[in-house]
Amino acid sequence: MDVIELLPRLHLLRFPVGQAYLWRDGDDHAELTLIDAGPPGSGAPIAEAVTALGRDPRDVRRIVLTHFHWDHAGGAAEFAALSGAEVLAHRLDAPVVRGEAPGPEPVFEDGERPLYEQAAKLRPEGDLVRPAQVLELAGGEVLDWGGGAHVVHVPGHTYGSIALHLPEHGVLFAGDTVAASPVDGSVIPGVLNLDRGQVLAACGRLAELDADVACFGHGDPALRQASRALRNAARG
């Protein structure tokens, strides 16, 4: 797992598939928030990364999941057990995160099935450990971190996908609603969706937010003029 500092308060945690983000409030001793938690088996590596940054895993107070997919929620229960952090997810995805319901398969667009099959080969074997408790979100909440983290419900990639906007800092966590192209780094709509039309609409909604930095579930973040890049993505 690679750990990359994006801003003094923000680190990217990059896994073989997908990535998560670690946000720090205030000074070096302020509490931490984990946005997404990587694939199964990521709990211990995340704890080691937090320790290497000079912090205790117990300083991570919450894990906010942008959606239920295994490469984002797979490490949530493991790291929650190590840190005591609460797990948050949208109410439509929370039953899948808890293992109470199966997650729907994506509706494949042209050329997406090979991408799906390639990613599936990288999924660790074994049963996914599920968090026993998940705090359910509806969208519209303002969470008590990041100077007020606005929860934006952006269905399309999954029915319960969310983005997190920190207006005070101009930072947006877009989950898999948006991605950066592995070819040229351009900002594009996410793939492997349940409803591509909803994803394009969500990209437009996110572009209206005042974000200078946008963090994606896959691909390099946009570290300046993110709203402009999101407007281009909304055009499909």
Side-chain angles (χ1 to χ4, degrees):
M1 183 183 71
D2 296 326
V3 181
I4 303 167
E5 181 178 298
L6 302 176
L7 301 170
R9 296 173 182 263
L10 178 62
H11 285 79
L12 181 154
L13 310 180
R14 179 165 283 159
F15 307 97
V17 178
Q19 49 208 29
Y21 296 88
L22 187 67
W23 175 266
R24 173 176 57 80
D25 278 317
D27 61 24
D28 290 342
H29 303 288
E31 66 181 37
L32 305 172
T33 297
L34 183 66
I35 299 92
D36 287 331
S42 298
I46 292 172
E48 291 168 4
V50 172
T51 301
L53 292 171
R55 302 298 300 270
D56 191 304
R58 291 172 294 182
D59 294 335
V60 181
R61 302 298 178 83
R62 62 195 67 81
I63 305 162
V64 188
L65 301 176
T66 61
H67 60 292
F68 72 77
H69 286 158
W70 63 269
D71 54 329
H72 293 259
E78 302 163 3
F79 184 70
L82 293 170
S83 64
E86 63 179 357
V87 179
L88 297 82
H90 191 273
R91 61 179 181 81
L92 296 179
D93 276 17
V96 185
V97 174
R98 289 192 295 261
E100 299 167 355
E105 295 293 314
V107 177
F108 296 109
E109 301 287 334
D110 291 344
E112 288 189 350
R113 186 175 290 275
L115 177 64
Y116 179 80
E117 293 173 350
Q118 181 182 10
K121 293 178 181 178
L122 297 175
R123 177 172 179 163
E125 296 182 358
D127 294 334
L128 176 62
V129 180
R130 305 284 187 170
Q133 296 183 341
V134 178
L135 178 63
E136 297 189 6
L137 303 168
E141 297 93 341
V142 180
L143 306 179
D144 188 21
W145 60 275
H150 293 240
V151 180
V152 185
H153 183 207
V154 284
H157 185 65
T158 67
Y159 295 128
S161 286
I162 60 171
L164 300 156
H165 181 218
L166 313 185
E168 182 176 312
H169 301 282
V171 174
L172 174 69
F173 300 96
D176 279 3
T177 298
V178 189
S181 168
V183 177
D184 60 8
S186 61
V187 178
I188 59 174
V191 298
L192 303 175
N193 304 305
L194 296 177
D195 188 320
R196 179 173 169 80
Q198 285 190 332
V199 166
L200 293 177
C203 288
R205 289 177 57 204
L206 296 180
E208 295 174 357
L209 303 175
D210 184 14
D212 193 48
V213 172
C215 300
F216 313 126
H218 300 271
D220 292 335
L223 297 179
R224 59 189 181 91
Q225 298 183 331
S227 293
R228 177 183 297 178
L230 289 167
R231 285 193 291 272
N232 291 334
R235 300 187 183 104

